[in-house]
Amino acid sequence: MTDTASTPEVQELDRIVVRFAGDSGDGMQLTGERFTNASALFGNDLATLPEFPAEIRAPQGTLAGVSAFQVQVSDHDISTPGDSPNVLVAMNPAALKKELHRLEVGGTIIVNTDTFEDRNLSKAGYDHNPLETNELDNYTVFEVPMTSITKEVCKDIDGVKPRDAERSKNFFALGLLSWLYQRPLEPTTEWIAQKFAKLPQVIEANNAAFKAGHAFGETAEMFDYTYEVKPAKLAPGTYTNIAGNVALSWGLIAAGQLAKLPMFLGSYPITPASDILHELSKHKNFGIRTFQAEDEIAAVASAVGASFGGHLALTTTSGPGVALKGEAIGLAVNLELPLIVVDIQRGGPSTGLPTKTEQSDLLMAMYGRHGESPMPVIAAYSPSHCFMVAIEAARLALKYRTPVMLLSDGYIANGSEPWNLPDVSTLPDISTTFATAPNHVDEDGNEHFWPYLRDPETLARAWAVPGTPGLMHRIGGIEKEDGTGNISYDPSNHQRMTDIRSDKIAGIAKDIPATWVEGDEDADLLMLGWGSTWGAISSASKRARAAGYKVAHAHLIHINPFPSDLGDVLSRYKRVICPEMNMGQLSRLVRAEFLVDVESVTKVQGQPYTAGELYDVIIDAAG
């Protein structure tokens, strides 16, 4: 042991994948977010995967209570949070036991040794201490007494008791990782000062733990290397690290401004959609009105009422809530009013896996209403894409006077990535017009307002705000007479109105982009995807092309109606493989529509696909 600590050699890496794991009270989500934000400010590209326990507070120290946060940080463009972590930070035995299988062989484990005592080991299902056996020999293990050091550096802070100090141990871990991977310190210290501005003791404790972790890395002489990931070469612009639900919320705010309409959200809290309600409620200055209803039915019914009143209206939920909202969504189809229905998908059925991701609501989005009630269905493919897809949902709803189903999922909603803020002047004008005068003259020359007279191009009906002089009209859930809107039980009229509603949605195909295809034009294999599988399919396809295989990738944003050229695109390939986080729902739709033998690859484990999994699918198909 020398008097001065030696300086470890700095190794440059093109990427790292770090997974933070601990008890749900250990602050792993916050730790991961702070590491991510520091990396984003440094200029790296990144992608994240937060994972939460389903229980509000599972028994402390148990496998069910483990909360994890994975982030991939790189010096180049990436689209997934990484297949296998290079580094696992385990704050207790349960975190080590539950997450170890994810770590790559030869990876690094940093453990909080203070928690590896008999009681915690027993809760995690160990009958021994894994740090004292050879079961971790395939990894590089660093044993760090995080809790005791944190308590020691906080002991002289007035008003901070040992139990209070212990809560700051996640900042010790963050400080250590910030040193090990050359992350800037200022973003974290500034955030601590802002977040806990009214709690000076908490600021002091968190800063002390954070700096102690950083100093431990410098002085402990445990580490032979520190590592650096250079900034990524991203397109010029102003970037922010953004999560999917926040991007979606901002897109909805932008849509209201672009439409020049007040916005109304009727919502009932449900994981993982609640963050949209939380975010929109902060922005009343943009004309946003938010209503937390007593249940899902009241939430969507209030949104339908707001749309009738001339608002850009939306409702947010997850799968179980969509089921409850079905009748009122059907009412919006019948009324032909604009409404955005946001479904942040999660594992099902019923309560299912409330904090885990899945893509299993597609068929419900398409058909989960009684009667013939078609509506557009669109899907976001990444956290930042949520911004533009929200604007597109509003555009379709307003232009075609229809409810629109916008699909995201837990992986997109909670994940984050750098987002190049768009030039507001380039965003589309989606403003709409209201009827302000009668639009029909009867045979006696009397002027009337007919709510179901339509735009000949879009088949959208006239939209009159209640209270507009002279435009009183009948509205409700019973079938309307074409044109007048009067109640009608005439069989031929019902057929005509059903056909019109169907033709209106089908006609949207003329108003959406052609199928998005990338990759080898002369490939025999097409990977077909939608939603959050984009990152894994795209990354796997790039790996396969780099290995000498030819593969193309088509990704759908608009699912109902499909892009008008999709049939022609599918016909160009000998094999079409469709990976989904369900049991093959898009595959069924494509087979039925185009009579193409789509090969379905499915995964319903509450986890997103990894690029490695789909790379193997491509190689097997190419072989």
Side-chain angles (χ1 to χ4, degrees), residues 276-612:
I276 302 172
L277 172 61
H278 300 158
E279 182 66 25
L280 288 180
S281 67
K282 302 175 185 176
H283 299 286
K284 296 179 177 63
N285 56 308
F286 286 109
I288 310 294
R289 294 177 173 89
T290 55
F291 171 56
Q292 181 174 319
E294 67 270 25
D295 56 42
E296 295 281 10
I297 298 171
V300 65
S302 67
V304 173
S307 180
F308 177 57
H311 284 59
L312 176 56
L314 67 141
T315 188
T316 54
T317 191
S318 187
V322 178
L324 290 166
K325 294 177 188 289
E327 182 180 1
I329 296 172
L331 174 62
V333 171
N334 195 321
L335 298 177
E336 299 188 50
L337 285 172
L339 174 69
I340 302 171
V341 181
V342 177
D343 177 10
I344 311 296
Q345 300 166 96
R346 70 189 207 187
S350 186
T351 308
L353 304 174
T355 62
K356 305 300 180 182
T357 194
E358 208 163 270
Q359 289 182 298
S360 53
D361 293 352
L362 180 57
L363 293 182
M364 182 165 66
M366 290 286 293
Y367 305 119
R369 297 162 299 282
H370 68 281
E372 294 291 336
S373 50
M375 58 188 284
V377 178
I378 62 176
Y381 63 79
S382 75
S384 62
H385 180 241
C386 288
F387 179 84
M388 290 306 301
V389 83
I391 295 174
E392 174 66 358
R395 183 185 76 87
L396 295 178
L398 293 169
K399 184 173 182 178
Y400 293 91
R401 307 284 197 267
T402 179
V404 175
M405 186 74 71
L406 192 169
L407 296 176
S408 177
D409 60 44
Y411 174 35
I412 294 175
N414 296 318
S416 64
E417 63 183 353
W419 176 47
N420 190 350
L421 273 64
D423 181 348
V424 174
S425 66
T426 65
L427 299 178
D429 179 4
I430 61 172
S431 56
T432 189
T433 57
F434 294 104
T436 57
N439 58 5
H440 176 74
V441 179
D442 66 20
E443 56 187 16
D444 296 325
N446 299 313
E447 292 185 333
H448 300 277
F449 173 65
W450 279 16
Y452 284 85
L453 283 184
R454 301 176 182 277
D455 181 300
E457 180 180 349
T458 64
L459 299 181
R461 75 168 184 87
W463 187 13
V465 176
T468 305
L471 302 191
M472 183 172 63
H473 57 284
R474 187 190 303 272
I475 202 161
I478 298 177
E479 185 62 281
K480 319 297 186 302
E481 184 180 58
D482 187 18
T484 69
N486 293 331
I487 290 175
S488 174
Y489 291 97
D490 178 64
S492 60
N493 177 77
H494 180 52
Q495 179 74 59
R496 182 163 58 254
M497 294 295 280
T498 301
D499 290 341
I500 290 172
R501 289 189 288 261
S502 177
D503 291 345
K504 180 174 69 170
I505 304 307
I508 293 174
K510 297 178 292 185
D511 194 23
I512 60 177
T515 304
W516 171 19
V517 186
E518 56 186 11
D520 299 302
E521 294 184 359
D522 58 344
D524 290 332
L525 173 64
L526 175 70
M527 300 294 285
L528 176 66
W530 69 278
S532 64
T533 56
W534 170 77
I537 297 175
S538 178
S539 182
S541 298
K542 288 176 183 177
R543 288 189 198 177
R545 285 192 288 272
Y549 297 91
K550 290 187 176 183
V551 58
H553 172 203
H555 213 77
L556 299 180
I557 298 169
H558 296 83
I559 302 175
N560 191 39
F562 287 125
S564 56
D565 68 334
L566 180 57
D568 293 335
V569 169
L570 297 173
S571 68
R572 297 203 297 261
Y573 302 91
K574 293 181 180 179
R575 295 186 70 177
V576 178
I577 295 178
C578 182
E580 300 180 76
M581 291 187 293
N582 58 46
M583 295 304 289
Q585 297 186 17
L586 178 63
S587 299
R588 286 180 173 83
L589 294 174
V590 172
R591 287 181 188 131
E593 183 74 15
F594 302 108
L595 302 181
V596 173
D597 186 19
V598 178
E599 300 174 44
S600 184
V601 175
T602 67
K603 181 178 182 179
V604 283
Q605 300 174 18
Q607 299 288 325
Y609 276 109
T610 66

